[in-house]
């Protein structure tokens, strides 16, 4: 079976992990700060905080903003559930903005309409912008709206490490308060499990550092009370153990050296798909020239006006041919957990339409030319037979 994603692990990655195993510092040694520094250098942000997953990163980003019960968070429903769950962890109210049909990111028109008709006391405190598929769409316009309506921007850049807009790397936080990354094995680089938050805001940075380790500080300049003895430390907030360990960080440092190579290869594969599938009755994610996508996903959306089947059929046919494809994502608002909050079919027409007609094709660094050709040929065959 050709998978839809696969990490690339080379000898340098393996050696760097073994090296950490030979030191006494499996965690809280020098590798986590080193990885954080490398991420700030790569993205152009001032600060970075490594954590044990992007899910934790989203949770801490929301907490550092002070999100609490009664606040509103808006995001998209065409994402992994973690994008919305972060708000629920903080007891905030969640709501969703529809996606646009051009590139499957949030719809600017829908967001503006929704902001205009929402009462002042129900406006969002935070908008979580998911860079779907690796495309950091509409960062500048979103920043303008955040100033106008007074909400903060957390970028869920789980897909988009290595992507850029107007030569600004995702994570620079030029148009966002915080950006979060995932290093799960399907993402552009991996640490097995892991995540990162970047920010240019010192206040958020200081709070994130405490929150990832139980809310504890050992820095005596930050103490609220007098140091009582040499072993003294203070817990100042209710934090968590969301730390990344040094084994993961060393893998991340080693992987980050190849990020541009990874993104380049993904773009090459995407170009081949775009070229070789252009005659099929399908839509692609449109990417304007100011953007470089990291192409975490390569999505195709079936043109329902011209084709009799939906994506579920196509996914099954591909699997019969040993090509693994799936839908990203089953809409968040239609999961039982979110239906309990009152969301129903029909609430987000574009998102629901997308979810019936779309699928992600295999895209990863080690995808072989013959595998790529096979995928392209099988797709042509299925459309010819059944469309
Ligand atoms: C993968 C992913 C996450 C969660 O990442 P973890 O590191 O597995 O917690 C969150 N949001 C999006 C959009 C993702 O793709």
């Amino acid at each position: 079976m050709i998978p839809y994603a696969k990490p690339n692990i080379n000898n340098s990655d393996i050696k760097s992990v073994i090296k950490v195993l030979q030191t006494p510092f499996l965690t809280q040694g020098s590798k986590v700060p080193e990885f954080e520094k490398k991420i700030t250098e790569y993205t152009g942000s001032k600060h970075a905080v490594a954590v044990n997953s992007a899910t934790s990163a989203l949770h801490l980003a929301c907490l550092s903003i002070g999100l609490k019960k009664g606040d509103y968070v808006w995001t998209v429903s065409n994402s992994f559930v973690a994008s919305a769950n972060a708000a629920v962890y903080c007891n905030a109210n969640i709501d969703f903005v529809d996606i646009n049909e051009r590139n499957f990111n949030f719809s600017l028109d829908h967001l503006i309409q929704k902001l205009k008709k929402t009462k002042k006391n129900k406006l969002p405190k935070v908008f979580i912008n998911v860079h779907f598929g690796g495309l950091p769409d509409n960062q500048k316009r979103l920043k303008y709206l955040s100033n106008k309506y007074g909400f903060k921007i957390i970028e869920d850049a789980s897909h988009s490490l290595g992507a850029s807009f107007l030569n600004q790397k995702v994570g620079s936080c030029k148009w966002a308060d915080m950006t979060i990354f995932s290093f799960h094995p399907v993402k552009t680089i991996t640490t097995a499990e892991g995540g990162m938050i970047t920010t240019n805001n010192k206040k958020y940075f200081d709070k994130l550092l405490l929150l990832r380790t139980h809310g504890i500080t050992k820095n005596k300049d930050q103490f609220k009370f007098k140091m009582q003895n040499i072993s003294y430390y203070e817990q100042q907030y209710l934090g968590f153990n969301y730390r990344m360990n040094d084994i993961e960080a060393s893998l991340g440092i080693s992987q980050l050296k190849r990020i541009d190579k990874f993104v380049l290869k993904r773009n090459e594969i995407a170009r081949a798909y775009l070229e070789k599938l252009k005659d099929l009755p399908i839509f692609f994610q449109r990417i304007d020239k100011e953007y470089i996508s990291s192409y975490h996903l390569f999505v195709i959306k079936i043109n329902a006006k011209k084709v009799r089947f939906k994506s579920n059929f196509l996914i099954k046919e591909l699997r019969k041919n040993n090509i693994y494809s799936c839908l990203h994502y089953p809409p968040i608002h239609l999961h039982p957990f979110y239906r309990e909050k009152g969301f129903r079919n029909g609430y987000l027409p574009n998102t629901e339409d997308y979810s019936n007609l779309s699928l992600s094709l295999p895209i990863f660094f080690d995808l072989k030319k013959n595998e790529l050709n096979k995928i392209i040929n099988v797709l042509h065959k299925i459309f010819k037979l059944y469309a």
Side-chain angles (χ1 to χ4, degrees):
M1 190 77 105
I2 305 172
Y4 93 87
K6 194 166 80 178
N8 171 270
I9 303 291
N10 72 10
N11 276 330
S12 309
D13 293 336
I14 293 166
K15 272 192 208 143
S16 67
V17 167
I18 291 172
K19 237 172 154 177
V20 173
L21 290 170
Q22 290 162 334
T23 71
F25 290 105
L26 300 184
T27 191
Q28 296 178 282
S30 66
K31 288 294 163 188
V32 169
E34 186 184 332
F35 186 32
E36 289 169 337
K37 183 149 180 291
K38 292 262 151 66
I39 289 283
T40 60
E41 287 165 3
Y42 181 74
T43 58
S45 69
K46 282 201 184 121
H47 311 290
V49 178
V51 288
N52 58 0
S53 71
T55 304
S56 305
L58 283 162
H59 185 192
L60 294 193
C62 286
L63 284 175
S64 69
I65 285 172
L67 196 70
K68 57 183 190 314
K69 194 176 163 83
D71 289 336
Y72 287 81
V73 173
W74 292 3
T75 187
V76 288
S77 177
N78 183 34
S79 182
F80 185 56
V81 291
S83 307
N85 287 348
V88 183
Y89 295 154
C90 302
N91 296 308
N93 300 303
I94 186 80
D95 203 352
F96 301 97
V97 170
D98 211 350
I99 57 171
N100 73 70
E101 292 176 288
R102 223 173 148 261
N103 61 34
F104 321 133
N105 272 275
F106 79 89
S107 158
L108 192 68
D109 292 341
H110 188 225
L111 175 61
I112 292 170
Q113 271 174 34
K114 200 172 164 75
L115 285 166
K116 277 186 180 157
K117 70 175 190 216
T118 300
K119 286 208 192 83
K120 216 167 169 185
N121 62 348
K122 292 196 168 177
L123 281 170
K125 186 164 185 169
V126 174
F127 185 81
I128 298 178
N129 184 18
V130 180
H131 295 167
F132 183 76
L135 178 67
D137 194 34
N138 268 328
Q139 286 172 298
K140 240 172 153 170
R141 293 190 184 99
L142 185 63
K143 181 69 187 164
Y144 168 81
L145 291 173
S146 89
N147 290 334
K148 185 166 172 184
Y149 288 93
F151 59 83
K152 304 289 182 207
I153 300 168
I154 298 172
E155 296 180 314
D156 182 343
S158 295
H159 298 181
S160 58
L161 181 67
S164 60
F165 169 57
L166 298 174
N167 295 318
Q168 287 284 325
K169 282 260 156 58
V170 168
S172 74
C173 293
K174 179 158 181 182
W175 301 287
D177 295 280
M178 278 173 267
T179 303
I180 72 95
F181 295 106
S182 172
F183 308 124
H184 182 276
V186 300
K187 311 293 162 81
T188 28
I189 67 166
T190 189
T191 62
E193 296 281 2
M196 187 81 72
I197 307 144
T198 61
T199 184
N200 295 326
N201 181 317
K202 178 79 164 54
K203 224 178 69 200
Y204 295 148
F205 174 60
D206 286 340
K207 195 147 178 202
L208 290 166
L209 287 177
L210 259 63
L211 286 171
R212 82 166 160 192
T213 182
H214 310 280
I216 286 174
T217 179
K218 293 182 176 174
N219 175 355
K220 67 177 188 312
D221 297 335
Q222 290 180 336
F223 288 166
K224 303 202 169 179
F225 288 90
K226 226 174 69 196
M227 212 172 144
Q228 296 168 10
N229 57 49
I230 193 82
S231 311
Y232 185 70
Y233 56 79
E234 280 185 356
Q235 184 192 337
Q236 299 180 339
Y237 305 100
L238 183 62
F240 304 85
N241 179 354
Y242 281 172
R243 292 187 303 264
M244 177 181 277
N245 65 52
D246 277 46
I247 301 167
E248 292 164 330
S250 71
L251 182 54
I253 293 164
S254 182
Q255 288 256 309
L256 189 61
K257 291 179 184 155
R258 308 203 292 292
I259 177 76
D260 289 333
K261 248 172 85 176
F262 290 162
V263 170
L264 209 65
K265 182 68 188 285
R266 285 172 174 277
N267 273 269
E268 276 173 34
I269 295 168
R271 266 199 303 278
Y273 277 137
L274 286 167
E275 175 58 29
K276 303 271 176 55
L277 300 176
K278 68 171 187 287
D279 297 330
L280 293 181
I282 54 179
F283 302 108
F284 302 109
Q285 191 179 26
R286 288 277 295 275
I287 294 170
D288 295 326
K289 62 179 188 311
E290 302 90 337
Y291 296 90
I292 294 174
S293 174
S294 56
Y295 270 111
H296 166 61
L297 301 175
F298 190 88
V299 168
I300 60 174
K301 183 177 171 212
I302 295 167
N303 183 345
K305 292 208 179 90
K306 297 189 176 166
V307 181
R308 280 177 299 175
F309 57 76
K310 294 186 173 179
S311 56
N312 193 46
F313 173 81
L314 188 49
I315 290 168
K316 283 199 269 186
E317 286 300 309
L318 286 168
R319 288 191 196 175
K320 280 188 205 159
N321 285 278
N322 289 320
I323 297 163
Y324 189 88
S325 158
C326 56
L327 161 68
H328 292 96
Y329 293 87
I332 298 176
H333 71 290
L334 298 180
H335 284 288
F337 179 80
Y338 284 94
R339 280 181 193 264
E340 251 175 59
K341 297 184 182 298
F343 296 107
R344 290 289 179 271
N345 285 308
Y347 186 61
L348 301 166
N350 287 353
T351 301
E352 292 165 31
D353 184 53
Y354 169 95
S355 75
N356 289 323
L357 297 170
S358 305
L359 59 150
S360 304
L361 298 178
I363 188 164
F364 51 89
F365 185 76
D366 290 310
L367 186 68
K368 301 278 173 293
K369 210 163 197 158
N370 63 324
E371 293 175 320
L372 183 62
N373 288 335
K374 178 183 168 178
I375 298 162
I376 290 162
N377 291 336
V378 168
L379 278 167
H380 277 282
K381 205 175 73 191
I382 298 169
F383 272 90
K384 203 166 167 192
L385 274 172
Y386 301 106

